[in-house]
Amino acid sequence: MSKDMSYEAVLARRGEIMKSSLGIDYASYESGSIAFDYEGMMSFGNFSLSDVTRIQNAGDVGRAPLIELHNLSKLARMVAPPGKGARILIKDEACNPSGSFKDRRASVSCYHAREVGYRGVMAATSGNYGAAVASQAARYGLDCIIVQECYDSRHVGQPEILEKARKCEALGAEVVQLTVGPELFYVFLSLLEETGYMNASLYTPFGIVGIETLGFEIATEVQKRYGKHPEVVVCTHAGGGNVTGTARGLQKAGATNTLVVGASVDLTGLHMASDTHFNQKSFTTGHTGFGVPFATNPDRTDTPRSAGRPLRYMDRYVLITQGEVFYITEALAVLEGLERGPAGNTSLAAAFALAKELEEDAIIVVQETEYTGAGKHPQAQLSFARANGIDVRFGNPADSVPGKSIILPEKPEQVTAVNQDLQRMRRSLIRNKVQGFSRQAITEEDILFLMAETKSDRQFVTGCLEELV
């Protein structure tokens, strides 16, 4: 008897499909209440930091150069108050096999898939992670399928996404291209069930422990070169795994006083599942459409529990505009001789703005770059924006309206990081977690869990509970 492959039936089998495709019994970490055993889940597979380093070294992943950006640092000092203008360093992750830090995430997933006997891996992504999974799958002799939201209903796709599809196919993956909307998850689940492949999700413990080596390398390399840990590390924030893994690696290196800053592109007002909004943005990841909802409700992923939980680790969250990222991308090329993809320069744009606040002897590290290509180049993206009715011009980037205008700065002092209210986001997370619970049903274990989830104290959590429940 054939299985019911209707949308409703496939979604109803989600738990069964996920358990088979991940090999993780998420139910074993549940308490039956709000709390769950996060650290227990993170230990699945028993991958120590040295294990992950060994796996990545064997696949030529990691150990990317740490580069001091002397000229951008000098420019920051020129427009900063006297005595301000930190040294800006960048971890050049574009040197990884597929061209981004996401090779670190894919390396552990593909290694595990081979070790436990999956014959293929699959990922749902329109980003660099697809290329990373394809690259690592090739190294481990695994089949690979990438399911990608690629087009709007007119069958028009952004040049950046199309470039990433080309990259995935060049690395041997089969790419299933879809229009934006709910079909992505349905098709992904259906293919997982049909093929029996492993779900190489961004949000498994494998995807996070793979990034821990990045944070660890940053801390140890800065310590060795400058005699101290960095004051600040800036991470592009989308689904939360980048911030989470980097911060955990910093902690394992002893860099407990380093501030972890998340940075996203401001796309406020654009809905990520909207057909009409799909081509009105020039950044498909690292923006507020992912950064805010995934921080305040981390389990909205393709796994039952996300291993990326950014509010456990973020000390500050800032937004930067599309125009500022394009501007800094050009500055990196003409001042430092490094042509890198704009999406990966989100954190660099934020770091340039933050460097102007810090003392000259402070060190701020941008923890990743990404490769560039024809579709990812700023000119391609800006030309596409103009073709879609976006007003592209020089001026004050603070006047930008996402979906309507991209304003590039006229001068470097206009590059400004806008702080977001982390306390408000923490309160939103608690609100999402306690829905459906009475105050009496919330246990001491739940309170401790929420304190960890929001990186806050008991007074904050209990105050939120009294207000919300």
Side-chain angles (χ1 to χ4, degrees):
M1 184 176 178
S2 61
K3 284 188 176 180
D4 184 351
M5 297 305 294
S6 67
Y7 181 88
E8 293 76 13
V10 171
L11 268 291
R13 296 198 296 272
R14 172 186 178 180
E16 172 191 336
I17 296 169
M18 283 298 176
K19 185 174 181 179
S20 175
S21 65
L22 288 165
I24 303 174
D25 182 8
Y26 283 90
S28 67
Y29 304 109
E30 298 293 344
S31 69
S33 187
I34 294 168
F36 79 99
D37 184 3
Y38 175 63
E39 290 299 337
M41 183 186 76
M42 287 301 297
S43 68
F44 180 82
N46 295 316
F47 288 108
S48 66
L49 189 68
S50 60
D51 291 332
V52 176
T53 300
R54 173 180 51 80
I55 292 166
Q56 292 177 344
N57 288 349
D60 298 316
V61 173
R63 298 179 293 182
L66 182 70
I67 302 170
E68 182 168 351
L69 303 179
H70 295 281
N71 292 330
L72 271 179
S73 300
K74 188 182 299 182
L75 181 62
R77 292 183 187 119
M78 290 173 62
V79 296
K84 304 289 185 180
R87 305 167 88 157
I88 304 171
L89 280 64
I90 197 164
K91 191 77 161 140
D92 195 14
E93 291 289 301
C95 297
N96 281 300
S98 78
S100 80
F101 81 96
K102 290 185 177 176
D103 284 31
R104 294 180 187 260
R105 307 180 81 158
S107 62
V108 185
S109 289
C110 291
Y111 173 86
H112 178 76
R114 188 194 65 178
E115 291 299 295
V116 300
Y118 288 99
R119 66 183 180 88
V121 289
M122 192 181 306
T125 171
S126 65
N128 292 331
Y129 186 58
V133 173
S135 174
Q136 290 299 299
R139 294 218 169 203
Y140 285 106
L142 299 168
D143 293 336
C144 179
I145 298 175
I146 301 301
V147 185
Q148 182 192 53
E149 268 184 339
C150 193
Y151 301 111
D152 65 11
S153 58
R154 301 171 298 157
H155 209 67
V156 175
Q158 301 171 44
E160 181 188 14
I161 294 180
L162 297 177
E163 158 61 27
K164 292 170 181 175
R166 179 208 65 77
K167 180 92 168 180
C168 292
E169 289 178 335
L171 292 166
E174 176 185 350
V175 180
V176 179
Q177 296 183 322
L178 305 171
T179 52
V180 66
E183 67 173 323
L184 176 73
F185 196 44
Y186 165 74
V187 171
F188 183 59
L189 287 172
S190 300
L191 288 171
L192 282 173
E193 189 174 47
E194 176 187 339
T195 61
Y197 287 1
M198 177 179 161
N199 176 9
S201 168
L202 285 160
Y203 304 105
T204 65
F206 313 126
I208 305 306
V209 298
I211 314 175
E212 290 180 6
T213 57
L214 177 51
F216 189 86
E217 285 176 22
I218 288 170
T220 54
E221 289 168 15
V222 172
Q223 174 72 47
K224 183 177 180 180
R225 190 184 303 180
Y226 300 97
K228 64 175 182 176
H229 290 135
E231 276 74 17
V232 178
V233 172
V234 186
C235 311
T236 300
H237 171 48
N242 194 18
V243 170
T244 300
T246 301
R248 288 173 66 89
L250 289 167
Q251 289 177 0
K252 289 183 177 182
T256 54
N257 292 324
T258 297
L259 292 181
V260 176
V261 179
S264 297
V265 179
D266 186 359
L267 294 186
T268 304
L270 297 182
H271 193 286
M272 293 309 102
S274 166
D275 179 50
T276 55
H277 291 171
F278 184 67
N279 284 324
Q280 291 179 358
K281 58 188 188 297
S282 292
F283 290 81
T284 58
T285 187
H287 53 65
T288 51
F290 288 104
V292 175
F294 277 84
T296 57
N297 189 11
D299 294 318
R300 49 182 291 133
T301 65
D302 58 359
T303 60
R305 288 289 190 179
S306 175
R309 310 190 84 81
L311 287 185
R312 284 179 171 246
Y313 301 100
M314 234 182 331
D315 297 300
R316 186 175 176 183
Y317 183 35
V318 299
L319 303 188
I320 206 86
T321 69
Q322 295 177 94
E324 288 166 316
V325 178
F326 286 129
Y327 179 87
I328 289 295
T329 297
E330 184 74 5
L332 179 66
V334 300
L335 294 180
E336 301 288 356
L338 294 171
E339 187 180 33
R340 299 292 183 264
N345 289 329
T346 299
S347 48
L348 177 59
F352 181 84
L354 298 177
K356 294 182 287 182
E357 303 174 4
L358 300 170
E359 302 296 326
E360 286 187 5
D361 62 351
I363 293 173
I364 185 167
V365 179
V366 178
Q367 53 77 260
E368 51 105 6
T369 62
E370 64 167 10
Y371 85 99
T372 193
K376 298 177 75 161
H377 194 276
Q379 292 303 327
Q381 296 192 55
L382 291 173
S383 295
F384 185 77
R386 289 191 183 96
N388 280 273
I390 306 297
D391 176 25
V392 179
R393 56 186 168 85
F394 285 93
N396 185 351
D399 297 330
S400 299
V401 179
K404 294 185 178 180
S405 61
I406 295 175
I407 303 178
L408 291 91
E410 293 178 308
K411 47 194 176 181
E413 50 263 48
Q414 290 176 313
V415 178
T416 306
V418 179
N419 283 308
Q420 298 305 287
D421 188 346
L422 271 184
Q423 291 296 78
R424 181 180 178 184
M425 293 176 69
R426 289 169 176 139
R427 191 173 286 107
S428 294
L429 182 145
I430 293 173
R431 181 186 299 112
N432 290 328
K433 292 295 179 187
V434 301
Q435 285 179 356
F437 285 87
S438 67
R439 183 66 181 89
Q440 292 72 25
I442 296 173
T443 66
E444 173 67 11
E445 183 183 6
D446 293 332
I447 292 173
L448 294 173
F449 175 79
L450 291 172
M451 288 166 59
E453 281 281 275
T454 57
K455 200 178 183 182
S456 56
D457 58 22
R458 178 180 293 273
Q459 183 179 1
F460 176 79
V461 170
T462 55
C464 288
L465 292 176
E466 295 302 324
E467 174 188 336
L468 296 170
V469 181

